Amino acid sequence: MILESVDVVTDISKEDFQKNYFKKHKPLLIKNFASRWEAFDKWNFDFIREKAGEQEVPLYDNKPADAAKSSDAPVTHMKMKEYIDTIKSKPSDLRIFFYIITDRLPELLKNFTYPDLGMKFFKRLPTLFFGGSEAHVLMHYDVDLGDFLHIHFEGKKRILLFDQKQSAFLYKVPLSVHTIYDVDYENPDYEKFPALKHAKGFEIFMEHGDALFIPGAFWHFNRYLEPGFSMSLRALPNKPNVFASMLYHVFIMRYTDKLMRKLFKAKWVNYKQKWAYKKSSKALAKKV
């Protein structure tokens, strides 16, 4: 992989952000972004444990989804306080996916301010994501194709970003928003996945309070280097062609894949993995 750093600022005007990043579909890291919030001191594990400790939460791990089950089925459930205690006390790959603040912890809505960056945020869905020190999220792009601001808290986190032009080199699985399960983006095997050498992207390290602008449809791989959690503020696509693509992704592609998984289970998953490898091999042949 060919990885570069993203631009880094400590502050930015709405005009500068819109001109140089949002309209250009270009990632940006804003250091210490959340520190300007009046309630910044409440964005930690202790506050969430106190307010939501008794809630039962679904948990996921690093393993690919079982082909015989729904692709979004959790591996177990645990009370929030037990989960936080677990990931703080020992290495763990357990993570919480898409914890909707509006539904689960609305008190947090008072503890941050939507940034004035010219983005029309979908205020129904500010969401949290948690992970232990060994947790990662498979390389994927979001099915709604929305731009979003990703704000991180507690421990350090590593993120890889790639635009859609890199899909073939990333071994994109057809009819899905993820890549081949076997690709290890921390220790890439270029003999097994040679096309990966040509994937051009960005490498970002996030710390407590940092915010990362991730343009819509960007591939991202998230790795928690230490126990931590992040909040995503989303802006749904407003361009007609992107909105139409979002409708296809959400209502046609996703449900087609779910139906095929239900009917053919592992056969369908394995077929798509082989299909992805063939497509990337063709892209590599054209490259070299």
Side-chain angles (χ1 to χ4, degrees):
M1 297 182 292
I2 305 167
L3 300 176
E4 300 178 354
S5 300
V6 297
D7 289 352
V8 180
V9 299
T10 55
D11 198 8
I12 190 169
S13 68
K14 176 170 63 177
E15 293 73 22
D16 188 4
F17 175 77
Q18 284 287 317
K19 178 182 178 181
N20 295 309
Y21 299 97
F22 188 77
K23 292 181 179 179
K24 292 183 177 180
H25 225 54
K26 184 179 179 181
L28 174 70
L29 180 64
I30 309 175
K31 295 293 294 180
N32 299 313
F33 171 83
S35 63
R36 67 200 71 182
W37 295 343
E38 186 175 337
F40 178 55
D41 62 339
K42 295 181 180 179
W43 287 89
N44 54 56
F45 281 135
D46 291 341
F47 182 83
I48 292 177
R49 189 185 188 285
E50 176 188 349
K51 299 297 181 180
E54 295 299 323
Q55 291 182 12
E56 187 173 270
V57 291
L59 301 177
Y60 302 80
D61 59 18
N62 290 343
K63 299 181 182 67
D66 187 334
K69 300 178 181 178
S70 170
S71 59
D72 54 4
V75 295
T76 189
H77 291 77
M78 193 181 291
K79 285 189 176 182
M80 177 66 87
K81 63 181 182 181
E82 295 170 354
Y83 168 70
I84 290 176
D85 291 345
T86 295
I87 64 172
K88 288 178 68 176
S89 65
K90 62 183 180 181
S92 173
D93 68 348
L94 292 176
R95 56 187 176 85
I96 299 175
F97 170 76
F98 220 74
Y99 179 96
I100 301 176
I101 296 174
T102 311
D103 297 337
R104 304 298 301 270
L105 194 54
E107 184 174 345
L108 267 183
L109 298 175
K110 300 179 293 184
N111 294 344
F112 73 91
T113 305
Y114 281 95
D116 183 19
L117 294 174
M119 296 175 66
K120 295 182 179 179
F121 292 105
F122 185 37
K123 295 185 178 180
R124 170 68 183 87
L125 281 181
T127 49
L128 297 181
F129 302 83
F130 299 73
S133 62
E134 295 186 345
H136 70 249
V137 182
L138 293 172
M139 181 71 76
H140 71 287
Y141 65 92
D142 291 357
V143 72
D144 64 11
L145 308 183
D147 304 287
F148 63 100
L149 199 67
H150 193 66
I151 308 160
H152 190 62
F153 306 98
E154 293 281 1
K156 296 178 181 179
K157 186 176 190 179
R158 177 179 184 250
I159 294 182
L160 302 181
L161 296 179
F162 299 87
D163 64 29
Q164 282 292 313
K165 294 177 182 178
Q166 309 304 312
S167 294
F169 301 122
L170 295 172
Y171 295 85
K172 179 188 185 302
V173 175
L175 287 178
S176 71
V177 293
H178 61 81
T179 59
I180 288 179
Y181 294 142
D182 292 344
V183 177
D184 182 349
Y185 290 96
E186 295 183 271
N187 299 287
D189 184 343
Y190 293 127
E191 290 189 7
K192 187 175 182 180
F193 301 105
L196 202 60
K197 288 189 293 186
H198 298 281
K200 297 180 180 179
F202 301 95
E203 180 181 41
I204 303 100
F205 291 93
M206 300 187 71
E207 298 178 307
H208 185 62
D210 291 350
L212 177 64
F213 168 61
I214 302 180
F218 254 62
W219 291 95
H220 44 284
F221 169 84
N222 300 344
R223 170 68 158 89
Y224 294 86
L225 302 175
E226 299 168 339
F229 68 99
S230 305
M231 175 172 66
S232 285
L233 304 177
R234 315 189 69 78
L236 295 182
N238 53 14
K239 294 181 179 179
N241 60 326
V242 181
F243 187 77
S245 182
M246 182 268 286
L247 293 178
Y248 163 76
H249 274 74
V250 173
F251 296 108
I252 298 177
M253 187 186 81
R254 186 172 65 162
Y255 284 101
T256 298
D257 186 54
K258 283 190 173 184
L259 176 62
M260 296 299 283
R261 285 177 66 99
K262 186 175 182 180
L263 292 174
F264 300 106
K265 299 182 173 60
K267 287 184 179 180
W268 172 245
V269 173
N270 293 335
Y271 171 73
K272 288 200 304 173
Q273 299 275 309
K274 293 177 182 178
W275 187 3
Y277 195 90
K278 288 180 181 179
K279 288 173 69 72
S280 290
S281 296
K282 289 182 179 179
L284 176 61
K286 293 179 180 179
K287 187 75 174 179
V288 298

